[in-house]
Amino acid sequence: MRIELGFGLDIIGDIHACFEEFMTLLDKLGYQKNREGLYIHPEGRKILSLGDVMSRGPQSIECMLFFLRHVEAGQAYMIDSNHGWKIARWLEGRKVQLKHGDEKVQKEFKNYELKHGKKETLNLKARLKTLLMDAPSHYIVSNEGEDLVVCAHAGIKDEYIGNENSRIKDFCRYGDVAGMDEKGKPIRRDWFKEHKGDLLILWGHDPKPEPLLINNTLNIDQGVVFGGKLTCFRFPEREFVFVEALENYSGKTGADNPIGK
């Protein structure tokens, strides 16, 4: 779960199947499509996704295929996430309740099978299941032996960094959740208030209208699927690059929309 900074990383918040916005972002970042169909940066930079590349939005399969190809080619990294874990279990054939946008993934696969056939669909499902199941709970970004940044989907406790077990995986997928409110929404504890030390923690999962820096933790999920924007945090430059959503794909508005659109 340790990766080298190398020539730089482009760390991207929750994409949620907003594939067109993601492609626009890669173009702004300078990635170029090669003959094999891979998006390569001329300076050797790589992509790191904070997870939830699928569900809620319109093009889950395209987003998952992108990371399947680029992770296999060593050009991208993707960490585990709550929607990723749900879809992985569904792809494995387990009985899971598909809701909160996960049902859109099922619909996409039905259409995919109509177009490509059952055999090819089963093969794709198996490959994507492996990609999602193998995704680590977090990544530690290092440079010449010095740890600099920790990336986790919904956050991480200091004592969990560098370790892996089922409790850590759940925390990194969902954050510090203290049950549900009367509307069925998770009650989130502010885990980031306990963070100490010089390691910058990058996280998403809980959409904020703008990047939120608190106690050396940085949220870069700006709710593109809710009509907000897709965020990239370039490291080590510590620069932001944004792409505005083409539309609000979620159907949530007003008080039901987490970014207030």
Side-chain angles (χ1 to χ4, degrees):
M1 66 183 59
R2 271 185 171 81
I3 57 175
E4 278 297 315
L5 175 62
F7 295 101
L9 289 172
D10 293 313
I11 304 167
I12 300 174
D14 301 30
I15 299 170
H16 274 306
C18 298
F19 188 68
E20 288 190 50
E21 289 86 345
F22 179 46
M23 290 294 99
T24 300
L25 179 61
L26 292 186
D27 184 61
K28 289 183 73 171
L29 293 169
Y31 286 82
Q32 300 170 5
K33 191 174 182 179
N34 68 10
R35 292 180 180 179
E36 289 74 40
L38 298 173
Y39 286 80
I40 308 297
H41 200 281
E43 297 173 4
R45 303 179 67 87
K46 294 185 179 181
I47 301 162
L48 194 159
S49 164
L50 294 185
D52 275 3
V53 303
M54 74 297 285
S55 303
R56 295 191 185 274
Q59 292 179 274
S60 286
I61 291 179
E62 287 291 345
C63 285
M64 289 189 288
L65 269 173
F66 178 95
F67 281 96
L68 176 66
R69 293 165 179 157
H70 288 75
V71 169
E72 287 180 346
Q75 293 298 319
Y77 306 96
M78 186 186 71
I79 57 177
D80 190 19
S81 57
N82 57 310
H83 285 276
W85 176 234
K86 174 71 73 68
I87 295 303
R89 288 178 291 154
W90 176 75
L91 291 170
E92 195 175 39
R94 300 190 193 182
K95 290 184 179 180
V96 295
Q97 191 174 10
L98 296 178
K99 56 182 181 178
H100 305 303
D102 293 324
E103 68 278 4
K104 293 184 178 181
V105 181
Q106 184 181 40
K107 184 177 180 180
E108 278 194 49
F109 270 102
K110 287 181 179 178
N111 292 331
Y112 187 93
E113 184 172 337
L114 288 173
K115 184 176 181 180
H116 299 280
K118 187 172 183 178
K119 183 178 180 180
E120 185 172 333
T121 303
L122 288 173
N123 178 60
L124 177 60
K125 283 183 174 182
R127 294 176 67 202
L128 291 175
K129 182 210 73 173
T130 299
L131 170 74
L132 297 173
M133 287 287 190
D134 288 350
S137 65
H138 62 287
Y139 272 119
I140 304 168
V141 180
S142 301
N143 187 36
E144 297 181 352
E146 180 185 3
D147 294 340
L148 303 173
V149 174
V150 178
C151 298
H153 177 63
I156 190 168
K157 292 182 178 182
D158 287 357
E159 61 265 32
Y160 290 167
I161 295 172
N163 300 302
E164 192 80 296
N165 58 41
S166 58
R167 178 181 294 181
I168 293 170
K169 288 180 178 180
D170 277 346
F171 191 98
C172 292
R173 287 171 187 142
Y174 303 103
D176 197 354
V177 179
M180 300 291 179
D181 65 15
E182 65 280 0
K183 295 182 178 180
K185 294 182 178 180
I187 301 169
R188 307 184 196 277
R189 297 189 186 99
D190 294 337
W191 60 269
F192 41 80
K193 291 182 177 179
E194 306 300 321
H195 176 50
K196 299 177 182 178
D198 297 328
L199 278 176
L200 174 64
I201 298 178
L202 289 172
W203 60 292
H205 180 64
D206 186 10
K208 310 293 182 184
E210 300 293 336
L212 181 64
L213 179 64
I214 297 179
N215 203 26
N216 212 22
T217 74
L218 179 64
N219 176 293
I220 59 167
D221 177 8
Q222 276 59 73
V224 62
V225 78
F226 299 103
K229 53 195 175 186
L230 183 59
T231 301
C232 172
F233 183 70
R234 307 187 83 217
F235 194 81
E237 297 84 355
R238 295 177 182 255
E239 298 172 351
F240 293 102
V241 180
F242 302 104
V243 168
E244 296 290 332
L246 294 174
E247 61 181 276
N248 179 353
Y249 303 98
S250 70
K252 296 181 181 293
T253 58
D256 291 329
N257 189 312
I259 61 168
K261 291 281 185 177

